[in-house]
């Protein structure tokens, strides 16, 4: 009699064991806790020489702005960048993971990464998690086959588009794109349009705000323009400055420069056996 | 003896028998209305679609109507409730005319009447399922306001209902300015309606534009917008990514 059931080694990743029980509870009337959406405006467009990506810089935790100036345009490869909307942890983790996979693939093949490779790796990962990894991405890059722009939804479907927007501010940004996009834009026109679309999201959507990040990718070159526009500067600063209450009495002052505590081993052989 | 249990009225209201006595959900709905102030008065735009759930059932629904001599109204939401509102407004204007005192209801008065009507119905848990845009000119004063089905009301230089709030208002905030000419105003409204046509699933390509100035009301004949689908990326979208879409 053959052993049919072999004990499988424990695999990492998401365990779907509780899903049936969760669904049963929802059917009985339990309100499931909703995912923390970060509220974002991310856009991408294809222009004559390549791809331009744009994003706002606000990360929200419910009604509070958690990070005023976060980075939503993630590095995937020297010629590929990815904007992420949705749960911040999910977008960070999934783009970092695929970025590492792309690097290993580059070592293995000896060639520049292609955008479709990143696309396929991302979509198959997101699909296998059935939408529980809440990452909505705008992936753009230029490779040997030309400029590419894709959107990837949390459930794993993708679109290939000349211009795309995602996030809570996507309608405001899409209104700008639908009325002003045309083919064969130059670099400056494209950057201006992307900045306009992100500003539309920043000023008309409550989940988006602060500054505009832009990334221009062309054949063989990329320009990451961090804080390309800062249309929300802090306007009031008290002239009196800020001091501690005068009642605090200073008894003793000792300053320890931290660099002295680190010993740098010059010989470099320390790690070898 | 428990006399203080929930009153029969409340029980009735929340029971399933009483559900046939109040509006629970809309059936035939109109989509967004967009309105702007311009140099000489007000411009409203709305398409002529009446959706029955996910079907585009009626394509000749007039969602823009004139109210008295000084106002125009545009409605989105349940069409039957809009027809009821029009009946009430026509009665109101008639009543005002009967006074024959040389005075007539201007847009501010009509807006206030609508607000009271919508809010009172909402308080009785039987709303008129509409979002209304009310615009008009009286004695040189331009007025543009909106009322929602729960009674939220405000006035502004440009207003929109439904999807128009998300797609049209950002464009209007950027491009509206005082002293738009009639042609510029129509062009701006058409730009908004075009984006709505591309991105709102319940929009139809048959719209009317209503104009009101000190002289009077004009509601245009229905016409269609030109759309552009000729992007080279649309012709062969997966040229670089075979197998995806």
């Amino acid at each position: 009699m053959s052993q049919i059931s072999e004990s499988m080694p424990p695999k990492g990743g998401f365990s779907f064991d509780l899903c049936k029980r969760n669904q049963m509870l929802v059917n009985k009337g339990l309100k499931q806790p909703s995912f923390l959406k970060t509220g974002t405006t991310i856009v991408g467009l294809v222009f004559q020489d390549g791809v331009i990506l744009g994003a706002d810089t606000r990360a929200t935790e419910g009604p509070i702005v958690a990070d005023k100036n976060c980075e939503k345009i993630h590095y995937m490869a020297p010629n590929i960048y990815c904007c992420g909307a949705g749960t911040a942890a999910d977008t960070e983790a999934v783009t970092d993971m695929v970025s590492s996979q792309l690097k290993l693939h580059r070592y293995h093949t000896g060639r520049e990464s292609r955008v479709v490779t990143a696309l396929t790796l991302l979509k198959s990962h997101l699909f296998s998690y059935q939408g529980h990894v809440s990452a909505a991405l705008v992936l753009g890059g230029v490779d040997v086959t030309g400029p590419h722009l894709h959107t990837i939804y949390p459930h794993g479907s993708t679109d290939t588009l000349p211009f795309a927007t995602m996030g809570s501010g996507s309608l405001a940004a899409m209104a700008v794109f639908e009325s002003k996009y045309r083919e064969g834009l130059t670099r400056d026109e494209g950057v201006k349009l992307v900045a306009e679309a992100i500003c539309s999201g920043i000023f008309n959507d409550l989940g988006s705000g602060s500054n505009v990040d832009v990334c221009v990718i062309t054949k063989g070159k990329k320009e990451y323009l961090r804080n390309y526009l800062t249309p929300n500067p802090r306007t009031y600063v008290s002239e009196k400055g800020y001091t501690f209450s005068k009642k605090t009495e200073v008894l003793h002052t000792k300053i320890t420069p931290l660099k002295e505590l680190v010993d740098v081993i010059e010989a470099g052989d320390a790690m070898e056996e | 003896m428990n006399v203080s249990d929930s009153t029969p009225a409340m029980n009735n209201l929340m029971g399933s028998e009483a559900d046939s006595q109040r509006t629970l959900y809309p059936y035939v709905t109109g989509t967004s209305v967009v309105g702007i102030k311009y140099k000489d008065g007000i411009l409203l735009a709305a398409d002529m679609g009446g959706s029955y759930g996910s079907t585009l059932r009626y394509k000749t629904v007039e969602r823009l109507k004139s109210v008295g001599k000084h106002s125009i109204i545009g409605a989105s939401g349940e069409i039957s409730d809009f027809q009821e509102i029009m009946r009430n407004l026509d009665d109101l204007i008639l009543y005002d005319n009967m006074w024959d005192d040389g005075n007539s209801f201007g847009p501010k008065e009509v807006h206030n009447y609508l607000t009271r009507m919508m809010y009172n119905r909402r308080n009785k848990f039987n709303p008129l399922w509409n979002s209304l845009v009310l615009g008009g000119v009286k004695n040189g004063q331009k007025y543009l306001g909106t009322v929602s089905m729960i009674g939220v009301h405000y006035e502004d230089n440009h207003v929109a209902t439904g999807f128009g709030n998300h797609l049209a208002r950002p464009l209007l905030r950027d491009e509206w300015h005082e002293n738009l000419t009639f042609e510029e105003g129509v062009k701006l409204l058409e730009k908004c309606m075009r984006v709505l046509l591309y991105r709102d699933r319940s929009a139809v390509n048959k719209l009317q534009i209503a104009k009101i100035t000190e002289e009077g009301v004009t509601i245009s004949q229905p016409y269609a917008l030109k759309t552009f689908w000729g992007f080279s990326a649309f012709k062969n979208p997966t040229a670089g990514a075979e197998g995806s879409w």
Side-chain angles (χ1 to χ4, degrees):
Chain A
M1 204 156 82
S2 58
Q3 284 277 13
I4 302 167
S5 61
E6 295 168 9
S7 60
M8 302 286 278
K11 286 192 179 151
F14 197 83
S15 159
F16 287 92
D17 294 338
L18 286 172
C19 286
K20 203 168 169 189
R21 163 252 190 201
N22 289 344
Q23 188 55 44
M24 185 269 293
L25 285 171
V26 167
N27 291 340
K28 292 211 167 153
L30 173 75
K31 182 174 173 298
Q32 262 188 333
S34 60
F35 295 105
L36 258 177
K37 292 225 74 185
T38 50
T40 299
T41 310
I42 49 174
V43 306
L45 68 69
V46 175
F47 72 111
Q48 64 190 28
D49 305 320
V51 164
I52 308 177
L53 300 174
D56 73 308
T57 62
R58 173 182 284 186
T60 52
E61 221 176 282
I64 303 170
V65 177
D67 189 347
K68 289 188 284 191
N69 208 351
C70 69
E71 286 189 19
K72 299 188 190 183
I73 306 185
H74 307 285
Y75 168 88
M76 298 287 268
N79 58 325
I80 307 174
Y81 274 77
C82 186
C83 305
T87 307
D90 286 338
T91 57
E92 278 284 343
V94 95
T95 48
D96 276 354
M97 184 193 79
V98 171
S99 173
S100 318
Q101 288 180 333
L102 285 176
K103 179 115 191 171
L104 288 172
H105 193 249
R106 275 203 296 285
Y107 283 136
H108 192 77
T109 57
R111 291 184 171 83
E112 190 187 59
S113 296
R114 299 194 187 189
V115 181
V116 278
T117 318
L119 180 74
T120 313
L121 289 168
L122 286 164
K123 71 157 44 173
S124 38
H125 180 84
L126 291 175
F127 179 72
S128 65
Y129 283 95
Q130 287 294 293
H132 291 282
V133 175
S134 179
L137 310 166
V138 171
L139 175 73
V142 181
D143 57 29
V144 282
T145 45
H148 298 284
L149 179 69
H150 302 282
T151 52
I152 310 165
Y153 289 83
H155 285 264
S157 66
T158 58
D159 286 315
T160 313
L161 296 165
F163 56 91
T165 67
M166 298 281 257
S168 57
S170 63
L171 279 85
M174 186 50 89
V176 171
F177 273 172
E178 283 284 17
S179 49
K180 294 189 179 157
Y181 180 82
R182 51 186 177 75
E183 305 225 82
L185 288 165
T186 64
R187 180 202 177 277
D188 292 329
E189 289 174 333
V191 169
K192 185 158 165 287
L193 187 57
V194 161
E196 236 185 283
I198 298 289
C199 282
S200 176
I202 286 174
F203 292 115
N204 292 299
D205 173 47
L206 296 176
S208 313
S210 302
N211 315 124
V212 180
D213 284 351
V214 173
C215 185
V216 185
I217 310 172
T218 49
K219 193 164 176 59
K221 187 168 90 127
K222 57 132 191 283
E223 289 172 71
Y224 183 65
L225 303 165
R226 168 77 171 146
N227 286 2
Y228 173 72
L229 280 182
T230 46
N232 291 302
R234 190 174 179 191
T235 42
Y236 175 73
V237 182
S238 162
E239 320 93 42
K240 285 188 265 184
Y242 301 97
T243 53
F244 289 108
S245 146
K246 292 208 172 57
K247 296 194 195 107
T248 316
E249 198 188 326
V250 177
L251 298 173
H252 173 68
T253 311
K254 180 183 170 197
I255 301 169
T256 313
L258 287 173
K259 282 200 176 139
E260 282 178 17
L261 296 175
V262 174
D263 289 332
V264 180
I265 303 167
E266 286 304 336
D269 276 286
M271 291 299 254
E272 286 174 41
E273 291 293 281
Chain B
M1 192 164 74
N2 272 341
V3 185
S4 58
D5 278 348
S6 50
T7 62
M10 270 314 278
N11 265 337
N12 255 350
L13 200 58
M14 293 299 139
S16 56
E17 292 166 18
D19 284 356
S20 63
Q21 306 297 323
R22 60 197 188 99
T23 306
L24 292 172
Y25 9 76
Y27 285 92
V28 182
T29 53
T31 183
S32 345
V33 178
V34 188
I36 55 172
K37 279 188 191 168
Y38 78 108
K39 189 159 60 94
D40 307 322
I42 312 286
L43 283 170
L44 292 190
D47 67 24
M48 300 191 74
S51 309
Y52 185 65
S54 53
T55 327
L56 285 175
R57 176 75 178 83
Y58 303 103
K59 297 193 189 171
T60 351
V61 179
E62 289 187 21
R63 298 194 292 116
L64 300 171
K65 298 272 187 199
S66 71
V67 182
K69 288 189 295 208
H70 302 284
S71 327
I72 38 175
I73 184 173
S76 69
E78 173 62 55
I79 299 297
S80 62
D81 282 346
F82 178 48
Q83 290 168 344
E84 180 69 12
I85 290 170
M86 283 318 296
R87 263 186 54 181
N88 283 344
L89 284 178
D90 290 338
D91 282 347
L92 183 81
I93 299 293
L94 187 66
Y95 178 77
D96 182 47
N97 285 343
M98 289 297 107
W99 278 98
D100 199 21
D101 56 3
N103 206 353
S104 50
F105 279 157
K108 279 201 183 64
E109 290 82 51
V110 178
H111 188 224
N112 189 50
Y113 177 79
L114 286 171
T115 308
R116 291 298 111 225
M117 193 165 67
M118 303 299 271
Y119 186 64
N120 273 301
R121 289 287 300 254
R122 165 261 191 197
N123 283 340
K124 293 190 266 193
F125 284 91
N126 185 15
L128 288 159
W129 207 287
N130 294 105
S131 290
L132 306 166
V133 171
L134 197 294
V137 190
K138 190 178 171 196
N139 298 337
Q141 288 264 25
K142 295 179 284 214
Y143 185 90
L144 180 62
T146 181
V147 194
S148 81
M149 84 180 199
I150 51 174
V152 174
H153 61 285
Y154 53 91
E155 40 164 330
D156 204 345
N157 293 321
H158 45 77
V159 294
T161 65
F163 251 96
N165 272 314
H166 296 104
L167 290 167
R169 288 307 284 290
L171 292 173
L172 294 170
R173 283 196 180 128
D174 265 345
E175 297 181 28
W176 182 90
H177 59 88
E178 210 67 70
N179 301 321
L180 284 167
T181 64
F182 174 67
E183 287 77 25
E184 289 174 341
V186 171
K187 205 149 156 273
L188 186 54
L189 278 181
E190 284 187 349
K191 193 185 228 189
C192 295
M193 296 305 285
R194 188 172 291 112
V195 178
L196 285 166
L197 178 62
Y198 283 138
R199 295 285 161 175
D200 179 4
R201 85 165 187 183
S202 33
V204 294
N205 195 3
K206 189 172 172 193
L207 69 142
Q208 285 181 308
I209 301 220
K211 168 177 85 136
I212 182 164
T213 59
E214 196 70 56
E215 281 85 54
V217 179
T218 330
I219 303 184
S220 74
Q221 284 301 307
Y223 66 102
L225 290 170
K226 286 209 181 66
T227 54
F228 179 70
W229 296 92
F231 293 119
S232 61
F234 286 171
K235 291 199 184 88
N236 200 1
T238 56
E242 306 304 331
S244 68
W245 64 91

